[in-house]
Each structure stands twice: as C-alpha cells, then as structure tokens.
Amino acid sequence: MILTVTLNTALDLTYRVPALTPHATHRVTQVIERPGGKGLNVARVLAALGHETVATGFAGGATGAMLRDLLASTPVRDELVATAGPTRRTVAVVDTTTGDTTQLNEPGPAITPAEWAGFRTRFTELLDGARAVALCGSLPPGIHVGAYAELIRLARAAAVPVLLDTSGEPLRRGIAARPDLVKPNADELAQLTGSREPHRATRDARRRGAHAVISSLGPEGLLAATPEGLWRAAPPAPVKGNPTGAGDSAVAGLLSGLVDEAPWPERLTRAVALSAATVLSPVAGEYDPSAYEELLPRVKVTSDSEAA
C-alpha cells in the first residue's frame, strides 16, 4: 500500500457564485464539501488509479468528524489520529463568470506534544507494509519545523521510499534528511535555492540532499533532476481550466510510477497527464479519467541534452 501523510487536514468548502463582488451579498448557487489537505488529495487520486492507499495525519472536532465521514465514501483507508482541536476549513469562492477562485484558508488546530507522540507511533506502525510514503502540505501550529525531517528519518530506517511536498523551512529541514523525492513548485524552489533559473535551482535542490527533485513549471510541465540525469516533461499543448489540485495529482503520478518501478520518463508522463487532466476536470481537485487516458501517449519527455 501507499501511505499519505496530511498533518494539516482540512474540510474543503467550495462556493460557486455568478460573480464575486467586494462589499456585496452573494447568492451561492452550489456548495461542494470534500476531505482536503494535499495528502488527502493525493490519496484520492492514487485510489482512483487502483492503488491501495492509506491516509494518516490529524483530524478533530466537528469538522474533523465531517471530513472523516466524507473520506469513508472513498476507497482510501482512514488512519487519521484524533486531536482535541477542531480541523480547519478552507473556503474557495468560485466566480462562475470569470472562472477565478478566491481562497480562504483557516489555520490548523494546535497539536499537543502528546498528540504528536501518538502520531509518530502510529506512523511507525503504518510504515510496516508501506511501499512508499508521501509527506504533504503545511504544518499545523504546535508541530516543530523539523517534523518532516523526523518522519523522513523514520521512513528511511524502515526502508520505505519517501516523497516530500511542502515549502519554506519544513522543506529546507526535510530535504537535508535525504528524502527519495521532493516536488517543489517554482516559488518554493526559488525560496529554497535563491535561484529562479529552473535547471540551476533544480540541480541545486538535489545537491542539498534529495535523491531526486521534480520541480513544477506550472502549465509547462515538470523538470526532474534524477540520478539518471535531467528530464523535462510537458503536456502536448497548454490546458485551460482550474489548476486546484493539479500539483497533488502530479505527486500521485510520481508515486504510482515509483511503486510500479517504472522508468523516469514513464513516471513523469503519468504525473504530467494527471496534472493536466485535473486542470481539465469540471470538479476542482479531481482528475478527468478520459482526459488522462487521452493525454498519456501525447506527453513529451526530453532528456538532459535536449532539455538543457
């Protein structure tokens, strides 16, 4: 099975309105609720691809109970650890006229030392039988910035490959613990390395400890610095739509290729096709299966000498 970790889970609420106008009252035409947080998004995509998937992290309070009820309707196995504080909510307001989205993210609950210790114990138990683990998203209050580095060391001790997808100081600390993969976007990569030149920044990030670095170039695809060299993967044409969750779908594609022991070009092809199919989906954060199958043979992957 594949294990995903979301320490700062969320109950995602999407409100659709005909037009978003400041200082005005709005009539909401549609409300969508779903379990959220980057790792849970990754888990749902992996499960849709047919992988046995387990989700852990934290959930608490009434919103946490709602999140777990929604998760129960998916193939993802719930191994979330209870907290005294309530799970946060994220609110996305979609202007259906322009397609623009306004996002409001609450902070997570403060995690106590006892809750963190309980999670570490459960995480260690779940590593037994895991073929890969993804550590995704922000850290809630109360958890130290080296938490992901700590979990990476536990995964490495259990010989379980680990992918890290976070930002800021948790990324800086985590990459030094030598994860198998990290997947920063361009802004996160620039913050980590001080460079906005993609090839230089991706190589620099890998030198900081990661076995492989896959950087997101937005609509232009992915750039990967791996032990086998540098790879570039791009969709056949720019896609228009809602990019919410596209990065999480890319992570799912990378993990799917990892556990299937696919070569790097195939891993990157899956990641780019899933990301683009998520942008094209009518439901934010979900991928369009037919678009995914149509895109798979059309993703262009080039090697180091061609991409440099």
Side-chain angles (χ1 to χ4, degrees):
M1 61 88 170
I2 301 175
L3 177 64
T4 71
V5 174
T6 314
L7 297 178
N8 208 8
T9 58
L11 178 65
D12 283 351
L13 303 173
T14 300
Y15 295 153
R16 299 178 70 86
V17 298
L20 182 60
T21 306
H23 316 298
T25 299
H26 297 78
R27 185 176 296 278
V28 177
T29 58
Q30 184 183 26
V31 179
I32 301 171
E33 297 179 332
R34 64 175 189 164
K38 292 179 71 66
L40 292 184
N41 296 339
V42 172
R44 285 201 310 273
V45 175
L46 284 169
L49 290 171
H51 294 281
E52 180 187 359
T53 311
V54 174
T56 190
F58 293 110
T63 50
M66 292 177 65
L67 181 152
R68 300 184 86 160
D69 285 345
L70 292 167
L71 191 61
S73 65
T74 75
V76 177
R77 193 174 104 210
D78 177 358
E79 289 289 350
L80 295 169
V81 174
T83 62
T87 295
R88 66 187 178 130
R89 294 164 296 183
T90 65
V91 180
V93 183
V94 180
D95 184 321
T96 57
T97 301
T98 65
D100 292 337
T101 300
T102 299
Q103 191 82 19
L104 304 172
N105 294 338
E106 296 180 356
I111 305 301
T112 68
E115 289 168 345
W116 173 243
F119 170 79
R120 286 181 74 261
T121 298
R122 189 70 190 115
F123 176 76
T124 303
E125 294 168 349
L126 290 169
L127 287 173
D128 184 17
R131 299 177 63 195
V133 58
L135 307 175
C136 304
S138 61
L139 298 177
I143 294 185
H144 63 95
V145 293
Y148 281 138
E150 188 177 343
L151 298 181
I152 289 167
R153 287 190 286 269
L154 290 172
R156 286 178 58 82
V160 178
V162 57
L163 182 151
L164 177 64
D165 185 13
T166 189
S167 61
E169 191 61 23
L171 172 60
R172 190 180 305 277
R173 300 282 187 95
I175 202 170
R178 305 186 66 79
D180 294 86
L181 298 92
V182 295
K183 197 210 72 64
N185 61 33
D187 289 339
E188 292 162 352
L189 198 60
Q191 185 180 16
L192 175 69
T193 67
S195 174
R196 285 198 169 272
E197 199 289 309
H199 292 79
R200 179 184 302 168
T202 303
R203 288 189 177 103
D204 183 25
R206 184 166 181 260
R207 285 194 291 268
R208 291 168 184 259
H211 189 66
V213 176
I214 298 87
S215 58
S216 172
L217 304 177
E220 297 179 6
L222 298 173
L223 181 66
T226 78
E228 288 77 29
L230 193 71
W231 303 88
R232 177 78 172 265
V239 294
K240 294 182 179 181
N242 190 338
T244 302
D248 302 329
S249 292
V251 168
L254 293 169
L255 286 169
S256 175
L258 171 65
V259 298
D260 288 346
E261 299 181 349
W264 274 107
E266 184 177 336
R267 298 188 200 186
L268 297 171
T269 294
R270 292 187 195 184
V272 169
L274 278 169
S275 180
T278 300
V279 175
L280 293 169
S281 173
V283 179
E286 306 290 342
Y287 81 93
D288 183 324
S290 60
Y292 172 60
E293 294 297 332
E294 192 273 334
L295 284 162
L296 265 176
R298 301 174 60 217
V299 173
K300 182 181 180 182
V301 180
T302 52
S303 66
D304 183 22
S305 58
E306 298 168 292

